[in-house]
């Protein structure tokens, strides 16, 4: 049961939850906030004090970017003392990026920030929107002995609560849109909401929230595939102003043993570009040195992303490059888990 005195801030950014079909094109597009409110009469009866902040206009999350992450983080900062928890309504396409980015930006978070959305618009009969939103509100306001049960940036979807920076969108068709392949769920919602406390991270309460919104977008992803050419690799490594590259490798962090690949990566590393190895597999961790095919990456100065999601490593790099100027500082922060985003083996 939701505590009657609880207060939640609802931040509506957009996404399918707040869309309807355009009568001319048939394509889904955002509706305005007043119409959205008409679809949610239940909000008045949930026994929680709430305020809504709509982003105008609503955005499809494919248009999400670090400026909007900053806006969300600053809204949370401004309203931090007045609410028990925060629910962010967001499109599913890039929700895992936003949740990852906010987990780095909200340093020493001690209140719940729960992202949710829907696979079908709120106005449709079979929509998953209300169930997701109402359960997210319940989780955001769930306290025990005066302390929030889940003081983390999370994604709640269908019946599962995940750590935000461990999630990936896995499904564009079914209601279970997300998964966390390398970390267990934080809660399961059935008749009751069952929290798995051993997996939830708790920050010290005596430190204040510190919002860090500096980011640097000069990050690229280099996805390896059999037959990739030197030209393709060089084109990516020589992007102007490039500061970091995530190499999406095979299996446990392996790559072709081509001399030109080793030379190109080594040269990029010597130019000060930070190189990080992340596997194309969803489950498991990078283990450079396990196979001979990963030794060249190690010798070229490539770092490990361990079992990080692509969403978490890209946003972690953007955040670190924005916050720190010294490559050694950035590399040190890459080798540790900042807010539960990876398991360092
Ligand atoms: N394209 C939509 C978005 O991410 C999809 C969704 O919300 O599920 O905004």
């Amino acid at each position: 049961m939701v505590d009657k005195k609880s207060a939640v801030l609802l931040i509506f950014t957009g996404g399918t939850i707040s869309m309807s079909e355009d009568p001319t094109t048939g394509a889904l597009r955002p509706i305005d906030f007043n119409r959205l409110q008409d679809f949610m009469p239940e909000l008045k009866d949930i026994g929680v004090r709430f305020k809504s902040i709509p982003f105008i206009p609503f955005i499809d999350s494919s248009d999400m970017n670090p400026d909007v992450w900053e806006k969300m983080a600053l809204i949370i900062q401004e309203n931090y003392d007045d609410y028990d928890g925060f629910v962010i309504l967001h499109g599913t396409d890039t929700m895992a990026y936003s949740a990852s980015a906010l987990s780095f930006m909200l340093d020493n978070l001690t209140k719940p920030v729960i992202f949710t959305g829907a696979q079908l618009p709120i106005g449709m009969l079979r929509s998953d929107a209300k169930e997701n939103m109402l359960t997210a509100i319940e989780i955001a306001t769930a306290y025990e002995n005066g302390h929030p049960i889940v003081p983390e940036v999370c994604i709640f979807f269908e019946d599962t609560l995940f750590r935000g920076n461990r999630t990936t969108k896995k499904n564009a068709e079914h209601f279970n849109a997300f998964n966390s392949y390398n970390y267990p769920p934080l809660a399961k919602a059935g008749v009751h909401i069952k929290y798995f406390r051993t997996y939830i991270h708790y920050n010290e309460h005596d430190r204040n929230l510190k919002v860090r919104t500096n980011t640097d977008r000069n990050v690229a992803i280099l996805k390896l595939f059999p037959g990739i050419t030197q030209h393709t690799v060089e084109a990516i490594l020589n992007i102007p102003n490039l500061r970091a590259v995530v190499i999406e490798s095979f299996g446990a962090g392996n790559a072709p043993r081509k001399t030109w690949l080793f030379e190109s990566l080594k040269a990029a590393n010597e130019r000060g570009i930070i190189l990080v190895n992340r596997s194309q597999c969803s489950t498991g961790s990078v283990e450079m040195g396990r196979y001979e095919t990963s030794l060249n990456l190690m010798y070229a100065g490539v770092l490990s992303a361990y079992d990080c999601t692509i969403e978490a490593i890209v946003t972690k790099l953007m955040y670190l490059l924005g916050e720190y100027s010294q490559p050694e500082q950035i590399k040190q922060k890459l080798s540790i888990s900042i807010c539960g985003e990876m398991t360092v083996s």
Side-chain angles (χ1 to χ4, degrees):
M1 273 294 287
V2 169
D3 178 346
K4 290 247 179 301
K5 296 183 205 95
S6 303
V8 69
L9 184 69
L10 306 175
I11 303 171
F12 287 87
T13 68
T16 298
I17 193 165
S18 52
M19 292 185 185
S20 71
E21 267 178 33
D22 182 299
T24 326
T25 64
L28 287 172
R29 63 173 170 82
I31 54 175
D32 70 55
F33 186 58
N34 289 336
R35 246 191 95 201
L36 181 66
Q37 281 178 305
D38 293 342
F39 287 121
M40 306 182 296
E42 299 83 357
L43 274 182
K44 296 188 194 85
D45 304 322
I46 54 172
V48 166
R49 179 169 68 79
F50 75 92
K51 185 173 116 178
S52 305
I53 298 187
F55 285 11
I56 297 175
F58 285 147
I59 46 178
D60 185 299
S61 77
S62 298
D63 286 326
M64 198 50 70
N65 62 65
D67 294 339
V68 192
W69 299 336
E70 176 175 355
K71 185 171 164 185
M72 289 183 229
L74 293 177
I75 289 175
I76 291 170
Q77 181 179 41
E78 274 161 36
N79 292 279
Y80 199 62
D81 294 336
D82 299 332
Y83 294 90
D84 298 300
F86 302 84
V87 171
I88 303 181
L89 289 307
H90 193 291
T92 57
D93 289 348
T94 66
M95 191 186 288
Y97 284 93
S98 295
S100 299
L102 272 267
S103 75
F104 298 116
M105 289 178 165
L106 302 174
D107 189 9
N108 199 38
L109 182 72
T110 54
K111 290 188 176 183
V113 175
I114 315 295
F115 278 80
T116 195
Q119 292 282 58
L120 282 177
I122 198 159
M124 289 180 72
L125 273 182
R126 285 196 313 110
S127 175
D128 49 338
K130 285 184 189 177
E131 220 173 287
N132 284 345
M133 186 171 68
L134 295 173
T135 311
I137 293 173
E138 183 155 346
I139 293 168
T141 52
Y143 272 58
E144 204 172 58
N145 305 321
H147 295 294
I149 299 180
V150 197
E152 289 205 37
V153 178
C154 300
I155 288 183
F156 176 76
F157 225 85
E158 206 200 15
D159 61 354
T160 311
L161 183 73
F162 301 106
R163 175 172 295 159
N165 58 32
R166 290 289 194 151
T167 56
T168 296
K169 183 172 177 180
K170 65 160 189 187
N171 206 320
E173 169 65 23
H174 295 122
F175 290 141
N176 57 345
F178 290 90
N179 202 9
S180 163
Y181 291 95
N182 285 320
Y183 198 75
L186 305 185
K188 273 278 183 192
V191 173
H192 304 286
I193 300 178
K194 193 167 168 25
Y195 295 96
F196 307 120
R197 288 161 211 255
T198 42
Y199 300 124
I200 300 171
H201 177 71
Y202 294 92
N203 280 321
E204 299 293 328
H205 271 267
D206 54 0
R207 283 177 53 218
N208 290 332
L209 176 75
K210 176 114 183 54
V211 176
R212 303 174 186 275
T213 55
N214 294 322
T215 52
D216 187 326
R217 304 177 189 202
N218 289 301
V219 172
I221 299 174
L222 166 55
K223 185 165 187 158
L224 300 180
F225 53 90
I228 191 167
T229 64
Q230 181 171 5
H231 188 71
T232 302
V233 171
E234 284 290 338
I236 292 176
L237 295 177
N238 286 294
I239 293 170
N241 302 323
L242 186 69
R243 291 188 67 200
V245 180
V246 181
I247 300 159
E248 282 212 289
S249 60
F250 307 127
N254 307 320
R257 277 176 299 174
K258 296 279 183 208
T259 310
W260 62 258
L261 181 61
F262 168 70
E263 297 291 351
S264 300
L265 293 174
K266 188 163 164 286
N269 182 44
E270 283 162 3
R271 293 198 299 276
I273 295 173
I274 291 172
L275 305 168
V276 188
N277 184 358
R278 196 241 158 216
S279 173
Q280 291 175 24
C281 296
S282 309
T283 307
S285 186
V286 162
E287 217 184 315
M288 283 189 287
R290 178 158 157 213
Y291 291 88
E292 223 169 36
T293 43
S294 61
L295 286 177
N296 273 351
L297 298 183
M298 226 161 82
Y299 298 153
V302 178
L303 308 171
S304 177
Y306 299 94
D307 60 351
C308 242
T309 60
I310 191 69
E311 295 88 342
I313 192 64
V314 166
T315 54
K316 184 174 181 175
L317 281 166
M318 286 180 168
Y319 156 79
L320 291 177
L321 294 170
E323 287 289 327
Y324 301 94
S325 53
Q326 298 304 317
E328 287 319 310
Q329 242 178 336
I330 297 169
K331 287 181 182 175
Q332 189 274 329
K333 298 274 178 201
L334 281 168
S335 72
I336 57 167
S337 172
I338 295 175
C339 46
E341 74 278 9
M342 65 185 194
T343 314
V344 179
S345 45

